[in-house]
Amino acid sequence: MTAVGIIGAGAVGQAVGGLLVHAGWCDTVMVASLHGRSADGLVTDLEDMSLVSASSARARRADLAGMQSCDALVLCPRAAFTNDRTTDIRMAGLIANGLMIRSLAQKLAGFTGPVVVVTNPVDVMTRLYAEVSGSTRVWGIGSSTDTARYRLILARRMGVPTAAVRGHVIGEHGDLAVICASSTTVNGRAVPVPVQAIRAEMAARPGRIAAGIGRVRSGPAAATLAALALVLGVKDGSIELSTPRNGVHLGVPLRFSSGQPTVCLPRLDAGEMRDLAAAEATLQSTYHRLRSTLEEMSAS
């Protein structure tokens, strides 16, 4: 039996729930949310999906205490805040989401299964949850979605199938993402990569999605499902996830075998190494600013 708990019944939580019901390897999907009505609604919707699709997976409403019985958790809640940023858009919810993730980490301390974090800014939230909860099996999605977008855009520009492109985006899930152009290949061969043009296209995609359907959902949900299958040992493979490196959490490629990860950082040229160091420095300062703010708010 495999039970996965989803905390947060918004756009991504809904998409993850649907994918889990359809996947075939998950027996129970347990749902909790900040607002009970949304969890009840998602469970009811997943029940319908399970029946119509003849899935053996069953959806259940749960509280946070009930999540302790799950094999893995997905954290995808979003606090209420207005995002009016045009740059570093994923940082807009830093304090609001930080308060929420810290609270969840305190309440879920002692959970020993793998945890996949989706809430933005995902690299900072992943580290916050890991340090407050004490869990050592916490990963964040973000760079996996960035890598997929990179491969898609480059494949379209070169007129080849996406399967022909091998390459990674690592570092921060945000403005300081590092495109590993020097190690990218197409059909096994090194190619010139228009990094700035591709970066601009990648940056525009979330806004295009949000303008059309309100929230980015399907890409992060698929990345979450892929991560769950790997961290639970359902299958072996590679994925870019946020994990500890040089004292911060940021995206790097990981190869999973029977649920155990090995870091597989690609070859980086001098410029890419500088970009990765810049991402590390920014994430470090952002995290310390968040923890300082949260401590001040707790003391007041």
Side-chain angles (χ1 to χ4, degrees):
M1 299 291 290
T2 299
V4 175
I6 301 172
I7 301 175
V12 174
Q14 293 165 25
V16 171
L19 289 174
L20 283 170
V21 167
H22 191 263
W25 53 261
C26 180
D27 301 288
T28 306
V29 180
M30 300 176 69
V31 182
S33 71
L34 300 178
H35 309 289
R37 288 180 60 188
S38 59
D40 288 337
L42 179 53
V43 167
T44 303
D45 195 35
L46 293 176
E47 287 174 338
D48 291 349
M49 181 183 185
S50 178
L51 181 61
V52 171
S53 63
S55 170
S56 60
R58 294 293 176 262
R60 290 175 46 198
R61 167 78 187 282
D63 55 18
L64 292 183
M67 290 290 174
Q68 295 284 353
S69 66
C70 291
D71 297 288
L73 297 179
V74 176
L75 303 187
C76 53
R78 181 184 186 275
F81 65 91
T82 300
N83 191 345
D84 54 6
R85 283 174 171 253
T86 57
T87 61
D88 277 340
I89 57 173
R90 296 174 184 87
M91 290 291 177
L94 178 68
I95 304 303
N97 284 337
L99 282 166
M100 182 179 57
I101 293 298
R102 183 184 65 173
S103 176
L104 287 174
Q106 292 167 340
K107 293 174 181 176
L108 292 168
F111 178 76
T112 58
V115 178
V116 177
V117 180
V118 185
T119 303
N120 274 318
V122 66
D123 302 295
V124 178
M125 294 300 117
T126 302
R127 180 180 177 183
L128 179 64
Y129 181 89
E131 292 193 359
V132 175
S133 69
S135 175
T136 58
R137 303 178 67 193
V138 185
W139 294 275
I141 66 106
S143 291
S144 50
T145 309
D146 292 336
T147 295
R149 290 169 175 164
Y150 172 50
R151 292 178 57 217
L152 174 66
I153 293 166
L154 184 57
R156 285 180 175 172
R157 281 178 165 263
M158 300 201 66
V160 299
T162 53
V165 178
R166 292 287 181 269
H168 304 279
V169 178
I170 63 174
E172 182 198 26
H173 179 50
D175 289 7
L176 295 180
V178 180
I179 295 176
C180 301
S182 66
S183 58
T184 295
T185 62
V186 176
N187 290 320
R189 298 179 180 180
V191 296
V193 177
V195 173
Q196 295 308 317
I198 290 179
R199 184 182 295 279
E201 286 193 52
M202 289 173 60
R205 290 183 73 85
R208 191 185 317 157
I209 294 168
I213 60 175
R215 290 269 185 264
V216 175
R217 62 194 74 203
S218 299
T224 300
L225 188 75
L228 285 169
L230 293 171
V231 302
L232 285 168
V234 174
K235 65 178 185 179
D236 295 340
S238 299
I239 190 172
E240 296 79 9
L241 295 176
S242 189
T243 194
R245 173 184 161 82
N246 293 339
V248 300
H249 280 62
L250 45 65
V252 298
L254 300 173
R255 181 178 295 118
F256 281 86
S257 178
S258 300
Q260 298 303 310
T262 301
V263 175
C264 301
L265 196 67
R267 171 181 52 81
L268 304 176
D269 65 19
E272 291 161 356
M273 291 178 66
R274 286 194 298 270
D275 290 344
L276 185 58
E280 290 174 350
T282 297
L283 288 169
Q284 185 76 279
S285 63
T286 300
Y287 183 76
H288 287 312
R289 175 163 55 89
L290 170 64
R291 290 302 297 263
S292 177
T293 301
L294 294 181
E295 289 172 7
E296 290 174 2
M297 294 175 71
S298 296
S300 62

